[in-house]
Amino acid sequence: MQSSTATADVAGVPPRPQVAAHFASLEVQHHAARLGMWLFLATEILLFAGLFVIYANYRFLFPEAFAAASRLLDWKLGTFNTLLLITSSFTAAMAVHYAKEAKNKQVVLMFVLTIVMAAGFLVVKYFEYAHKFHDHTLPGPYYAYPGLTLPGASAYFTIYFLSTGLHAFHVIVGMIVLGWVTLKAMRNEFSYHNYTAVELGSMYWHLVDLVWIFLFPMLYLI
């Protein structure tokens, strides 16, 4: 990540980042940061891909139980959360647009809206989880829902809690990252020459959104 040290003391002008000693130019430095983020996102995709493979395997083994268990989820809440994340991806993308134009106040606004929608997503998940605990539709040996006793039902909710819990953790991490970038925008640090932090934070948030787009139909609709 490039340094945010200013190369000129001009009031109101975002600082131009300095090039680290091991990079040939600012462009190479930015490219290295993006490449590093793409590699990191690839490992995250592999992590969730393992859960998708587990889901596919157990759904093949227990198709009736998985179909019945999915109907115990509230697809309306899942749809609302999907709309929240899709909208938050838009505001995150707009933050990158404004950062390139050195409109740091708009960057702050876009990321604050993104973080608020992320918090809304977590609140909805809290109510969903609370309902699961109330009905005892819990993972593994803690499953005790009398309305569905088919073999494999407990496996479904094990996968449900693992995948949505891991995703919720990524939402929290994303909120922290975007919060840090927002503080930098409040210090008027971003411009066309220095917006990589905004871009990388937005890329991470798009991953969070993308994973949920796969989880939502897999768990709630299929």
Side-chain angles (χ1 to χ4, degrees):
M1 189 73 69
Q2 74 270 20
S3 170
S4 60
T5 304
T7 57
D9 295 323
V10 181
V13 177
R16 184 183 178 91
Q18 292 183 341
V19 181
H22 52 285
F23 290 112
S25 66
L26 185 61
E27 290 71 22
V28 173
Q29 182 169 276
H30 290 174
H31 177 73
R34 294 187 188 97
L35 179 60
M37 176 55 78
W38 277 116
L39 291 174
F40 170 72
L41 295 181
T43 63
E44 292 288 275
I45 291 173
L46 288 175
L47 173 64
F48 281 98
L51 289 174
F52 296 154
V53 170
I54 293 173
Y55 171 88
N57 180 64
Y58 276 92
R59 185 175 180 85
F60 176 78
L61 294 175
F62 306 104
E64 293 182 4
F66 269 53
S70 68
R71 289 193 287 270
L72 297 179
L73 302 182
D74 191 334
W75 65 268
K76 294 179 181 178
L77 291 180
T79 301
F80 178 73
N81 263 352
T82 302
L83 294 175
L84 276 180
L85 284 189
I86 291 176
T87 307
S88 69
S89 269
F90 171 75
T91 54
M94 289 302 298
V96 178
H97 169 75
Y98 287 126
K100 293 179 181 179
E101 298 183 349
K103 297 179 179 179
N104 284 274
K105 290 184 179 179
Q106 284 85 348
V107 174
V108 171
L109 175 61
M110 291 297 104
F111 273 155
V112 167
L113 289 175
T114 304
I115 293 170
V116 168
M117 284 183 277
F121 177 91
L122 293 177
V123 169
V124 173
K125 292 308 299 179
Y126 165 78
F127 284 110
E128 281 194 274
Y129 281 179
H131 182 71
K132 297 293 175 292
F133 275 87
H134 179 267
D135 287 348
H136 301 288
T137 48
L138 300 172
Y142 303 102
Y143 179 83
Y145 181 64
L148 179 60
T149 58
L150 289 172
S154 62
Y156 174 88
F157 285 102
T158 299
I159 296 172
Y160 167 81
F161 276 98
L162 278 175
S163 55
T164 59
L166 182 61
H167 178 263
F169 172 76
H170 281 73
V171 170
I172 295 171
V173 172
M175 293 172 67
I176 294 172
V177 171
L178 296 185
W180 171 72
V181 179
T182 301
L183 292 177
K184 293 172 72 67
M186 292 174 68
R187 296 195 292 266
N188 196 41
E189 292 190 12
F190 300 118
S191 67
Y192 179 78
H193 302 290
N194 179 25
Y195 65 89
T196 305
V198 179
E199 185 177 28
L200 299 188
S202 181
M203 287 172 63
Y204 182 86
W205 192 253
H206 293 325
L207 171 73
V208 172
D209 182 26
L210 179 64
V211 170
W212 180 256
I213 288 175
F214 280 93
L215 288 177
F216 172 59
M218 184 182 80
L219 295 173
Y220 289 78
L221 303 180
I222 298 178

